[in-house]
mmCIF file of all heavy atoms in Angstrom:
data_model
loop_
_atom_site.group_PDB
_atom_site.id
_atom_site.type_symbol
_atom_site.label_atom_id
_atom_site.label_comp_id
_atom_site.label_asym_id
_atom_site.label_seq_id
_atom_site.Cartn_x
_atom_site.Cartn_y
_atom_site.Cartn_z
ATOM 1 N N THR A 1 -0.474 -3.990 -5.929
ATOM 2 C CA THR A 1 -1.636 -4.109 -6.812
ATOM 3 C C THR A 1 -2.166 -5.531 -6.920
ATOM 4 O O THR A 1 -3.359 -5.720 -7.163
ATOM 5 C CB THR A 1 -1.289 -3.591 -8.219
ATOM 6 O OG1 THR A 1 -0.169 -4.322 -8.737
ATOM 7 C CG2 THR A 1 -0.941 -2.102 -8.174
ATOM 8 N N GLU A 2 -1.309 -6.537 -6.773
ATOM 9 C CA GLU A 2 -1.760 -7.921 -6.843
ATOM 10 C C GLU A 2 -2.422 -8.328 -5.527
ATOM 11 O O GLU A 2 -2.123 -7.786 -4.461
ATOM 12 C CB GLU A 2 -0.583 -8.848 -7.136
ATOM 13 C CG GLU A 2 0.111 -8.573 -8.458
ATOM 14 C CD GLU A 2 -0.771 -8.839 -9.659
ATOM 15 O OE1 GLU A 2 -1.612 -9.767 -9.574
ATOM 16 O OE2 GLU A 2 -0.636 -8.123 -10.671
ATOM 17 N N LYS A 3 -3.306 -9.310 -5.612
ATOM 18 C CA LYS A 3 -4.034 -9.748 -4.418
ATOM 19 C C LYS A 3 -3.082 -10.185 -3.309
ATOM 20 O O LYS A 3 -3.236 -9.767 -2.146
ATOM 21 C CB LYS A 3 -4.979 -10.889 -4.785
ATOM 22 C CG LYS A 3 -5.727 -11.484 -3.586
ATOM 23 C CD LYS A 3 -6.598 -12.653 -4.019
ATOM 24 C CE LYS A 3 -7.253 -13.320 -2.832
ATOM 25 N NZ LYS A 3 -8.111 -14.466 -3.240
ATOM 26 N N TRP A 4 -2.087 -11.009 -3.643
ATOM 27 C CA TRP A 4 -1.186 -11.515 -2.611
ATOM 28 C C TRP A 4 -0.383 -10.387 -1.985
ATOM 29 O O TRP A 4 -0.104 -10.407 -0.777
ATOM 30 C CB TRP A 4 -0.260 -12.589 -3.177
ATOM 31 C CG TRP A 4 0.784 -12.085 -4.152
ATOM 32 C CD1 TRP A 4 0.660 -11.989 -5.500
ATOM 33 C CD2 TRP A 4 2.089 -11.597 -3.822
ATOM 34 N NE1 TRP A 4 1.804 -11.470 -6.055
ATOM 35 C CE2 TRP A 4 2.707 -11.221 -5.051
ATOM 36 C CE3 TRP A 4 2.796 -11.432 -2.642
ATOM 37 C CZ2 TRP A 4 3.998 -10.695 -5.098
ATOM 38 C CZ3 TRP A 4 4.086 -10.908 -2.691
ATOM 39 C CH2 TRP A 4 4.670 -10.550 -3.909
ATOM 40 N N GLU A 5 -0.033 -9.367 -2.775
ATOM 41 C CA GLU A 5 0.710 -8.225 -2.235
ATOM 42 C C GLU A 5 -0.157 -7.422 -1.272
ATOM 43 O O GLU A 5 0.299 -6.988 -0.207
ATOM 44 C CB GLU A 5 1.159 -7.310 -3.369
ATOM 45 C CG GLU A 5 2.171 -7.898 -4.317
ATOM 46 C CD GLU A 5 2.488 -6.951 -5.453
ATOM 47 O OE1 GLU A 5 1.548 -6.447 -6.107
ATOM 48 O OE2 GLU A 5 3.685 -6.694 -5.678
ATOM 49 N N LEU A 6 -1.411 -7.215 -1.656
ATOM 50 C CA LEU A 6 -2.321 -6.444 -0.813
ATOM 51 C C LEU A 6 -2.592 -7.177 0.496
ATOM 52 O O LEU A 6 -2.609 -6.567 1.575
ATOM 53 C CB LEU A 6 -3.622 -6.181 -1.568
ATOM 54 C CG LEU A 6 -3.513 -5.208 -2.743
ATOM 55 C CD1 LEU A 6 -4.732 -5.328 -3.653
ATOM 56 C CD2 LEU A 6 -3.351 -3.775 -2.259
ATOM 57 N N GLU A 7 -2.808 -8.495 0.426
ATOM 58 C CA GLU A 7 -3.051 -9.261 1.645
ATOM 59 C C GLU A 7 -1.834 -9.234 2.553
ATOM 60 O O GLU A 7 -1.950 -9.059 3.775
ATOM 61 C CB GLU A 7 -3.416 -10.699 1.287
ATOM 62 C CG GLU A 7 -4.779 -10.849 0.644
ATOM 63 C CD GLU A 7 -5.142 -12.282 0.340
ATOM 64 O OE1 GLU A 7 -4.223 -13.129 0.275
ATOM 65 O OE2 GLU A 7 -6.342 -12.564 0.162
ATOM 66 N N GLN A 8 -0.668 -9.414 1.973
ATOM 67 C CA GLN A 8 0.567 -9.413 2.755
ATOM 68 C C GLN A 8 0.794 -8.059 3.415
ATOM 69 O O GLN A 8 1.158 -7.978 4.599
ATOM 70 C CB GLN A 8 1.742 -9.779 1.845
ATOM 71 C CG GLN A 8 3.075 -9.934 2.557
ATOM 72 C CD GLN A 8 4.184 -10.258 1.576
ATOM 73 O OE1 GLN A 8 4.627 -9.406 0.806
ATOM 74 N NE2 GLN A 8 4.619 -11.515 1.586
ATOM 75 N N TYR A 9 0.562 -6.989 2.659
ATOM 76 C CA TYR A 9 0.822 -5.660 3.213
ATOM 77 C C TYR A 9 -0.220 -5.282 4.266
ATOM 78 O O TYR A 9 0.117 -4.682 5.295
ATOM 79 C CB TYR A 9 0.841 -4.620 2.092
ATOM 80 C CG TYR A 9 1.491 -3.321 2.514
ATOM 81 C CD1 TYR A 9 2.748 -3.304 3.111
ATOM 82 C CD2 TYR A 9 0.852 -2.107 2.320
ATOM 83 C CE1 TYR A 9 3.353 -2.124 3.501
ATOM 84 C CE2 TYR A 9 1.450 -0.915 2.705
ATOM 85 C CZ TYR A 9 2.697 -0.931 3.291
ATOM 86 O OH TYR A 9 3.286 0.246 3.682
ATOM 87 N N LEU A 10 -1.466 -5.662 4.043
ATOM 88 C CA LEU A 10 -2.492 -5.388 5.038
ATOM 89 C C LEU A 10 -2.192 -6.124 6.338
ATOM 90 O O LEU A 10 -2.377 -5.576 7.434
ATOM 91 C CB LEU A 10 -3.861 -5.790 4.492
ATOM 92 C CG LEU A 10 -5.078 -5.508 5.376
ATOM 93 C CD1 LEU A 10 -5.150 -4.044 5.779
ATOM 94 C CD2 LEU A 10 -6.357 -5.947 4.680
ATOM 95 N N THR A 11 -1.728 -7.345 6.233
ATOM 96 C CA THR A 11 -1.333 -8.093 7.428
ATOM 97 C C THR A 11 -0.177 -7.409 8.140
ATOM 98 O O THR A 11 -0.170 -7.280 9.375
ATOM 99 C CB THR A 11 -0.930 -9.530 7.042
ATOM 100 O OG1 THR A 11 -2.047 -10.186 6.446
ATOM 101 C CG2 THR A 11 -0.470 -10.317 8.263
ATOM 102 N N GLU A 12 0.795 -6.936 7.385
ATOM 103 C CA GLU A 12 1.953 -6.271 7.982
ATOM 104 C C GLU A 12 1.557 -5.027 8.760
ATOM 105 O O GLU A 12 1.941 -4.855 9.920
ATOM 106 C CB GLU A 12 2.964 -5.902 6.888
ATOM 107 C CG GLU A 12 4.176 -5.139 7.395
ATOM 108 C CD GLU A 12 5.110 -4.718 6.278
ATOM 109 O OE1 GLU A 12 5.226 -5.463 5.281
ATOM 110 O OE2 GLU A 12 5.718 -3.634 6.384
ATOM 111 N N VAL A 13 0.791 -4.140 8.133
ATOM 112 C CA VAL A 13 0.503 -2.863 8.787
ATOM 113 C C VAL A 13 -0.523 -2.999 9.900
ATOM 114 O O VAL A 13 -0.525 -2.184 10.839
ATOM 115 C CB VAL A 13 0.049 -1.795 7.769
ATOM 116 C CG1 VAL A 13 1.140 -1.529 6.746
ATOM 117 C CG2 VAL A 13 -1.263 -2.174 7.083
ATOM 118 N N SER A 14 -1.394 -4.014 9.832
ATOM 119 C CA SER A 14 -2.420 -4.152 10.863
ATOM 120 C C SER A 14 -1.956 -4.980 12.047
ATOM 121 O O SER A 14 -2.433 -4.764 13.175
ATOM 122 C CB SER A 14 -3.690 -4.768 10.273
ATOM 123 O OG SER A 14 -3.458 -6.093 9.821
ATOM 124 N N GLN A 15 -1.025 -5.903 11.835
ATOM 125 C CA GLN A 15 -0.630 -6.806 12.910
ATOM 126 C C GLN A 15 0.811 -6.624 13.362
ATOM 127 O O GLN A 15 1.097 -6.658 14.558
ATOM 128 C CB GLN A 15 -0.844 -8.255 12.459
ATOM 129 C CG GLN A 15 -2.293 -8.590 12.149
ATOM 130 C CD GLN A 15 -2.473 -10.037 11.713
ATOM 131 O OE1 GLN A 15 -1.621 -10.886 11.950
ATOM 132 N NE2 GLN A 15 -3.581 -10.323 11.064
ATOM 133 N N GLN A 16 1.723 -6.427 12.425
ATOM 134 C CA GLN A 16 3.138 -6.456 12.772
ATOM 135 C C GLN A 16 3.682 -5.099 13.202
ATOM 136 O O GLN A 16 4.479 -5.017 14.139
ATOM 137 C CB GLN A 16 3.941 -7.002 11.592
ATOM 138 C CG GLN A 16 3.553 -8.415 11.199
ATOM 139 C CD GLN A 16 4.120 -8.842 9.855
ATOM 140 O OE1 GLN A 16 5.034 -8.229 9.326
ATOM 141 N NE2 GLN A 16 3.554 -9.890 9.272
ATOM 142 N N THR A 17 3.285 -4.040 12.541
ATOM 143 C CA THR A 17 3.880 -2.726 12.828
ATOM 144 C C THR A 17 2.900 -1.739 13.444
ATOM 145 O O THR A 17 3.280 -0.608 13.742
ATOM 146 C CB THR A 17 4.458 -2.105 11.539
ATOM 147 O OG1 THR A 17 3.400 -1.924 10.577
ATOM 148 C CG2 THR A 17 5.525 -3.000 10.937
ATOM 149 N N SER A 18 1.651 -2.146 13.659
ATOM 150 C CA SER A 18 0.635 -1.196 14.132
ATOM 151 C C SER A 18 0.913 -0.564 15.487
ATOM 152 O O SER A 18 0.424 0.541 15.742
ATOM 153 C CB SER A 18 -0.737 -1.867 14.149
ATOM 154 O OG SER A 18 -0.738 -3.021 14.960
ATOM 155 N N PRO A 19 1.684 -1.175 16.406
ATOM 156 C CA PRO A 19 1.939 -0.478 17.669
ATOM 157 C C PRO A 19 2.744 0.812 17.522
ATOM 158 O O PRO A 19 2.736 1.640 18.433
ATOM 159 C CB PRO A 19 2.721 -1.516 18.493
ATOM 160 C CG PRO A 19 2.312 -2.837 17.934
ATOM 161 C CD PRO A 19 2.153 -2.584 16.460
ATOM 162 N N PHE A 20 3.442 0.988 16.391
ATOM 163 C CA PHE A 20 4.266 2.190 16.277
ATOM 164 C C PHE A 20 4.196 2.870 14.911
ATOM 165 O O PHE A 20 4.644 4.012 14.775
ATOM 166 C CB PHE A 20 5.741 1.847 16.571
ATOM 167 C CG PHE A 20 6.326 0.790 15.670
ATOM 168 C CD1 PHE A 20 6.888 1.120 14.454
ATOM 169 C CD2 PHE A 20 6.318 -0.547 16.050
ATOM 170 C CE1 PHE A 20 7.415 0.148 13.624
ATOM 171 C CE2 PHE A 20 6.845 -1.531 15.236
ATOM 172 C CZ PHE A 20 7.404 -1.180 14.007
ATOM 173 N N TYR A 21 3.642 2.211 13.895
ATOM 174 C CA TYR A 21 3.658 2.762 12.537
ATOM 175 C C TYR A 21 2.235 2.862 12.017
ATOM 176 O O TYR A 21 1.532 1.862 11.914
ATOM 177 C CB TYR A 21 4.490 1.860 11.622
ATOM 178 C CG TYR A 21 4.521 2.283 10.166
ATOM 179 C CD1 TYR A 21 5.237 3.405 9.767
ATOM 180 C CD2 TYR A 21 3.840 1.553 9.196
ATOM 181 C CE1 TYR A 21 5.262 3.792 8.430
ATOM 182 C CE2 TYR A 21 3.869 1.928 7.863
ATOM 183 C CZ TYR A 21 4.583 3.051 7.489
ATOM 184 O OH TYR A 21 4.605 3.437 6.174
ATOM 185 N N ARG A 22 1.803 4.102 11.727
ATOM 186 C CA ARG A 22 0.469 4.327 11.190
ATOM 187 C C ARG A 22 0.613 4.733 9.727
ATOM 188 O O ARG A 22 1.044 5.840 9.423
ATOM 189 C CB ARG A 22 -0.253 5.413 11.963
ATOM 190 C CG ARG A 22 -0.389 5.169 13.468
ATOM 191 C CD ARG A 22 -1.267 6.257 14.073
ATOM 192 N NE ARG A 22 -1.325 6.188 15.523
ATOM 193 C CZ ARG A 22 -0.735 7.063 16.333
ATOM 194 N NH1 ARG A 22 -0.027 8.065 15.831
ATOM 195 N NH2 ARG A 22 -0.852 6.954 17.634
ATOM 196 N N PRO A 23 0.227 3.873 8.796
ATOM 197 C CA PRO A 23 0.409 4.192 7.379
ATOM 198 C C PRO A 23 -0.694 5.110 6.862
ATOM 199 O O PRO A 23 -1.843 5.033 7.298
ATOM 200 C CB PRO A 23 0.322 2.817 6.715
ATOM 201 C CG PRO A 23 -0.624 2.056 7.595
ATOM 202 C CD PRO A 23 -0.345 2.526 9.007
ATOM 203 N N ASN A 24 -0.331 5.977 5.941
ATOM 204 C CA ASN A 24 -1.314 6.782 5.221
ATOM 205 C C ASN A 24 -1.301 6.293 3.777
ATOM 206 O O ASN A 24 -0.287 6.394 3.084
ATOM 207 C CB ASN A 24 -0.967 8.269 5.305
ATOM 208 C CG ASN A 24 -2.130 9.152 4.889
ATOM 209 O OD1 ASN A 24 -2.829 8.857 3.928
ATOM 210 N ND2 ASN A 24 -2.321 10.254 5.602
ATOM 211 N N PHE A 25 -2.420 5.745 3.336
ATOM 212 C CA PHE A 25 -2.497 5.145 2.000
ATOM 213 C C PHE A 25 -2.876 6.217 0.968
ATOM 214 O O PHE A 25 -4.051 6.407 0.667
ATOM 215 C CB PHE A 25 -3.529 4.009 1.984
ATOM 216 C CG PHE A 25 -3.025 2.691 2.515
ATOM 217 C CD1 PHE A 25 -1.932 2.622 3.350
ATOM 218 C CD2 PHE A 25 -3.667 1.502 2.181
ATOM 219 C CE1 PHE A 25 -1.476 1.405 3.842
ATOM 220 C CE2 PHE A 25 -3.219 0.281 2.666
ATOM 221 C CZ PHE A 25 -2.125 0.230 3.501
ATOM 222 N N PHE A 26 -1.877 6.911 0.439
ATOM 223 C CA PHE A 26 -2.118 7.839 -0.660
ATOM 224 C C PHE A 26 -2.224 7.046 -1.960
ATOM 225 O O PHE A 26 -1.415 6.159 -2.237
ATOM 226 C CB PHE A 26 -0.986 8.858 -0.759
ATOM 227 C CG PHE A 26 -1.279 10.159 -0.061
ATOM 228 C CD1 PHE A 26 -1.191 10.259 1.313
ATOM 229 C CD2 PHE A 26 -1.660 11.272 -0.782
ATOM 230 C CE1 PHE A 26 -1.469 11.449 1.961
ATOM 231 C CE2 PHE A 26 -1.939 12.471 -0.146
ATOM 232 C CZ PHE A 26 -1.843 12.569 1.228
ATOM 233 N N THR A 27 -3.213 7.391 -2.774
ATOM 234 C CA THR A 27 -3.393 6.716 -4.057
ATOM 235 C C THR A 27 -2.385 7.191 -5.096
ATOM 236 O O THR A 27 -2.027 6.449 -6.018
ATOM 237 C CB THR A 27 -4.799 6.970 -4.597
ATOM 238 O OG1 THR A 27 -4.999 8.392 -4.725
ATOM 239 C CG2 THR A 27 -5.856 6.393 -3.668
ATOM 240 N N ASN A 28 -1.970 8.440 -4.978
ATOM 241 C CA ASN A 28 -1.023 9.058 -5.919
ATOM 242 C C ASN A 28 -0.441 10.288 -5.238
ATOM 243 O O ASN A 28 -0.953 10.737 -4.186
ATOM 244 C CB ASN A 28 -1.722 9.455 -7.225
ATOM 245 C CG ASN A 28 -2.765 10.549 -7.018
ATOM 246 O OD1 ASN A 28 -3.453 10.599 -5.991
ATOM 247 N ND2 ASN A 28 -2.898 11.445 -7.989
ATOM 248 N N THR A 29 0.623 10.836 -5.786
ATOM 249 C CA THR A 29 1.213 12.080 -5.301
ATOM 250 C C THR A 29 1.701 12.860 -6.516
ATOM 251 O O THR A 29 1.762 12.314 -7.625
ATOM 252 C CB THR A 29 2.404 11.825 -4.351
ATOM 253 O OG1 THR A 29 3.559 11.446 -5.121
ATOM 254 C CG2 THR A 29 2.098 10.745 -3.317
ATOM 255 N N PRO A 30 2.088 14.127 -6.363
ATOM 256 C CA PRO A 30 2.671 14.839 -7.506
ATOM 257 C C PRO A 30 3.911 14.157 -8.067
ATOM 258 O O PRO A 30 4.256 14.349 -9.235
ATOM 259 C CB PRO A 30 3.005 16.220 -6.918
ATOM 260 C CG PRO A 30 2.061 16.378 -5.782
ATOM 261 C CD PRO A 30 1.909 15.006 -5.194
ATOM 262 N N ASP A 31 4.575 13.343 -7.238
ATOM 263 C CA ASP A 31 5.779 12.633 -7.675
ATOM 264 C C ASP A 31 5.481 11.268 -8.276
ATOM 265 O O ASP A 31 6.335 10.698 -8.954
ATOM 266 C CB ASP A 31 6.732 12.430 -6.490
ATOM 267 C CG ASP A 31 7.272 13.734 -5.961
ATOM 268 O OD1 ASP A 31 7.931 14.455 -6.723
ATOM 269 O OD2 ASP A 31 7.028 14.030 -4.770
ATOM 270 N N ILE A 32 4.303 10.705 -7.988
ATOM 271 C CA ILE A 32 4.041 9.308 -8.347
ATOM 272 C C ILE A 32 2.743 9.201 -9.136
ATOM 273 O O ILE A 32 1.647 9.412 -8.597
ATOM 274 C CB ILE A 32 3.971 8.415 -7.101
ATOM 275 C CG1 ILE A 32 5.254 8.525 -6.278
ATOM 276 C CG2 ILE A 32 3.725 6.962 -7.499
ATOM 277 C CD1 ILE A 32 5.182 7.815 -4.949
ATOM 278 N N ASN A 33 2.874 8.860 -10.399
ATOM 279 C CA ASN A 33 1.749 8.520 -11.267
ATOM 280 C C ASN A 33 1.791 7.009 -11.450
ATOM 281 O O ASN A 33 2.531 6.488 -12.282
ATOM 282 C CB ASN A 33 1.880 9.238 -12.613
ATOM 283 C CG ASN A 33 0.747 8.939 -13.568
ATOM 284 O OD1 ASN A 33 -0.226 8.291 -13.209
ATOM 285 N ND2 ASN A 33 0.879 9.400 -14.805
ATOM 286 N N PRO A 34 1.011 6.257 -10.672
ATOM 287 C CA PRO A 34 1.179 4.801 -10.632
ATOM 288 C C PRO A 34 0.957 4.150 -11.994
ATOM 289 O O PRO A 34 0.058 4.521 -12.747
ATOM 290 C CB PRO A 34 0.111 4.359 -9.627
ATOM 291 C CG PRO A 34 -0.179 5.573 -8.807
ATOM 292 C CD PRO A 34 -0.026 6.718 -9.740
ATOM 293 N N LEU A 35 1.766 3.151 -12.293
ATOM 294 C CA LEU A 35 1.638 2.423 -13.553
ATOM 295 C C LEU A 35 0.247 1.824 -13.706
ATOM 296 O O LEU A 35 -0.301 1.763 -14.814
ATOM 297 C CB LEU A 35 2.698 1.323 -13.627
ATOM 298 C CG LEU A 35 4.160 1.786 -13.684
ATOM 299 C CD1 LEU A 35 5.089 0.582 -13.615
ATOM 300 C CD2 LEU A 35 4.418 2.597 -14.944
ATOM 301 N N TYR A 36 -0.334 1.371 -12.602
ATOM 302 C CA TYR A 36 -1.654 0.737 -12.633
ATOM 303 C C TYR A 36 -2.708 1.666 -13.219
ATOM 304 O O TYR A 36 -3.700 1.211 -13.789
ATOM 305 C CB TYR A 36 -2.039 0.338 -11.204
ATOM 306 C CG TYR A 36 -3.341 -0.417 -11.063
ATOM 307 C CD1 TYR A 36 -3.374 -1.799 -11.157
ATOM 308 C CD2 TYR A 36 -4.541 0.258 -10.814
ATOM 309 C CE1 TYR A 36 -4.570 -2.497 -11.005
ATOM 310 C CE2 TYR A 36 -5.738 -0.425 -10.669
ATOM 311 C CZ TYR A 36 -5.747 -1.807 -10.764
ATOM 312 O OH TYR A 36 -6.929 -2.493 -10.622
ATOM 313 N N LEU A 37 -2.505 2.989 -13.103
ATOM 314 C CA LEU A 37 -3.526 3.952 -13.513
ATOM 315 C C LEU A 37 -3.227 4.632 -14.839
ATOM 316 O O LEU A 37 -4.026 5.445 -15.314
ATOM 317 C CB LEU A 37 -3.677 5.034 -12.428
ATOM 318 C CG LEU A 37 -4.053 4.532 -11.029
ATOM 319 C CD1 LEU A 37 -4.061 5.700 -10.049
ATOM 320 C CD2 LEU A 37 -5.415 3.845 -11.050
ATOM 321 N N GLN A 38 -2.107 4.303 -15.457
ATOM 322 C CA GLN A 38 -1.672 5.098 -16.610
ATOM 323 C C GLN A 38 -2.469 4.831 -17.883
ATOM 324 O O GLN A 38 -2.298 5.551 -18.868
ATOM 325 C CB GLN A 38 -0.176 4.891 -16.841
ATOM 326 C CG GLN A 38 0.673 5.570 -15.781
ATOM 327 C CD GLN A 38 2.164 5.481 -16.047
ATOM 328 O OE1 GLN A 38 2.601 5.064 -17.126
ATOM 329 N NE2 GLN A 38 2.963 5.874 -15.058
ATOM 330 N N ASP A 39 -3.373 3.841 -17.876
ATOM 331 C CA ASP A 39 -4.246 3.668 -19.038
ATOM 332 C C ASP A 39 -5.499 4.535 -18.931
ATOM 333 O O ASP A 39 -6.290 4.616 -19.870
ATOM 334 C CB ASP A 39 -4.629 2.207 -19.234
ATOM 335 C CG ASP A 39 -5.432 1.643 -18.070
ATOM 336 O OD1 ASP A 39 -5.663 2.372 -17.082
ATOM 337 O OD2 ASP A 39 -5.829 0.459 -18.137
ATOM 338 N N GLY A 40 -5.687 5.170 -17.763
ATOM 339 C CA GLY A 40 -6.801 6.089 -17.605
ATOM 340 C C GLY A 40 -8.148 5.457 -17.380
ATOM 341 O O GLY A 40 -9.173 6.158 -17.357
#
């Protein structure tokens, strides 16, 4: 959720692991109600 985390993770998935790992960015799942969204 923080800017530095998003930049770091975007760099990882686009440059470091992209030859073999394709991420699917789900915003939420039935198992995960993110803390960032719990204020509605």
Side-chain angles (χ1 to χ4, degrees):
T1 57
E2 299 295 327
K3 176 183 175 180
W4 70 269
E5 294 176 309
L6 290 164
E7 290 182 340
Q8 185 182 73
Y9 197 51
L10 183 55
T11 299
E12 177 183 327
V13 299
S14 64
Q15 298 180 19
Q16 299 167 16
T17 61
S18 58
F20 58 87
Y21 177 72
R22 303 186 187 108
N24 195 319
F25 278 21
F26 264 77
T27 58
N28 65 325
T29 77
D31 295 300
I32 304 172
N33 180 7
L35 295 174
Y36 184 89
L37 302 176
Q38 288 185 10
D39 63 358

